[in-house]
Amino acid sequence: MSLHSLPIFVRLDGRPVILVGDGEATDPKRRLLERAGAMIVGEDAAAALAIVALADPEAMVAKLKARGVLVNAVDRPDLCDFTLPAIVDRSPVIVAIGTGGASAGLAAALRQRLEAILPATLGSLAEALHAGRAPLKDRFPDARDRRRALGEALSERGALDPLTANEAAVPAWLSGNSGEDGSAIVEIALTSPDPDDLTLRQAHALAQADRVVHAPDVPAAILDRARADAVRIVATAPPNDQADGLTVFVEVAR
């Protein structure tokens, strides 16, 4: 099956991008281009990309395409050379959701789901992995061993599980002091006694936990979201030891 479009990430910092149009349809595109550092220019400027937000865009699109410019026509996927995805920004990690112009609403709904799942620490984890490339090669000189070890660490409940680990986990794993057994500790500070108010990340951690350490005042309805066979321990602070598997510490936010 062929791809409808080839997803690419383009660096626009300091580069010109044509933006034609005004009003409500143009403002979001202007903000997006500004976030990417693009230099916004008019229709006669030299540029490789253009966004056209006009009620009747056909003539402008044809004019720009005749110059070899790749064009996005807002709300007109039939005229587009490229489309703009819904974005989940955990810089430098960026998740883009595209539907080829079929449904911006669907892309937005998927973005909202992913926003709830992907932790804010994902970007700092990526930066820590980048900084740890040299130590990683030192520890695993063979490329195959390196890929295998990193894949295991980044897997679900691994030492560097992207949904639970933060940047501090990387040097610990590289030094061999953590992660060899897939152990991890996740801390949850409850802001509501209603289990339906748990974030997807929190609910996922409880559902996967091997042991749940919790403060005495944590509601039973919250604890019921944990695995039935998970060990439960009442405590007022996270455990000092790193037991095998996933440990979740739950307390009520003060």
Side-chain angles (χ1 to χ4, degrees), residues 9 32-33 35-36 83-91 93-98 104 107-108 110-112 114-115 118:
F9 290 87
L32 184 62
L33 292 174
R35 283 178 61 191
T83 56
L84 297 172
I87 294 172
V88 180
D89 186 1
R90 299 291 186 270
S91 293
V93 178
I94 298 175
V95 180
I97 307 104
L110 291 172
R111 179 190 64 79
Q112 291 169 6
L114 291 173
E115 285 280 9
L118 300 179

Side-chain angles (χ1 to χ4, degrees), residues 36-50:
M39 181 174 60
I40 299 173
V41 297
E43 62 187 82
D44 295 323
L49 300 177

Side-chain angles (χ1 to χ4, degrees), residues 4 75-77 83-86 97-111:
H4 175 279
D75 293 332
R76 289 294 301 273
T83 56
L84 297 172
I97 307 104
T99 64
S103 175
L106 174 60
L110 291 172
R111 179 190 64 79

Side-chain angles (χ1 to χ4, degrees), residues 178-221:
S178 174
E180 297 304 320
D181 55 4
S183 60
I185 297 177
V186 174
E187 298 184 22
I188 296 175
L190 299 173
T191 57
S192 166
D194 189 342
D196 289 337
D197 290 333
L198 291 167
T199 67
L200 289 177
R201 182 190 178 204
Q202 291 169 340
H204 174 80
L206 282 169
Q208 297 294 324
D210 294 290
R211 68 173 179 167
V212 177
V213 182
H214 63 91
D217 56 348
V218 170

Side-chain angles (χ1 to χ4, degrees), residues 138-160:
D138 290 340
R139 185 177 178 192
F140 302 101
D142 183 81
R144 289 173 298 180
D145 292 340
R146 192 159 57 245
R147 286 193 299 270
R148 188 180 303 110
L150 191 57
E152 290 175 356
L154 290 168
S155 64
E156 184 176 352
R157 295 169 60 186
L160 304 180

Side-chain angles (χ1 to χ4, degrees), residues 10-141:
V10 181
R11 292 178 179 262
L12 294 179
D13 191 23
R15 301 180 66 179
V17 176
I18 295 169
L19 179 61
V20 181
D22 52 34
E24 293 183 0
T26 309
D27 290 342
K29 309 305 180 186
R30 183 181 301 276
R31 290 193 294 268
L32 184 62
L33 292 174
E34 289 173 348
R35 283 178 61 191
M39 181 174 60
I40 299 173
V41 297
E43 62 187 82
D44 295 323
L49 300 177
I51 298 176
V52 177
L54 297 172
D56 299 303
E58 287 85 355
M60 180 58 66
V61 169
K63 175 183 175 182
L64 293 169
K65 288 188 175 186
R67 291 166 42 193
V69 179
L70 297 176
V71 180
N72 170 271
V74 177
D75 293 332
R76 289 294 301 273
D78 56 307
L79 298 178
C80 289
D81 296 310
F82 68 96
T83 56
L84 297 172
I87 294 172
V88 180
D89 186 1
R90 299 291 186 270
S91 293
V93 178
I94 298 175
V95 180
I97 307 104
T99 64
S103 175
L106 174 60
L110 291 172
R111 179 190 64 79
Q112 291 169 6
R113 297 285 185 92
L114 291 173
E115 285 280 9
I117 295 172
L118 300 179
T121 55
L122 197 56
S124 57
L125 177 64
E127 290 172 344
L129 286 168
H130 178 75
R133 288 184 303 171
L136 180 63
K137 288 183 179 180
D138 290 340
R139 185 177 178 192
F140 302 101

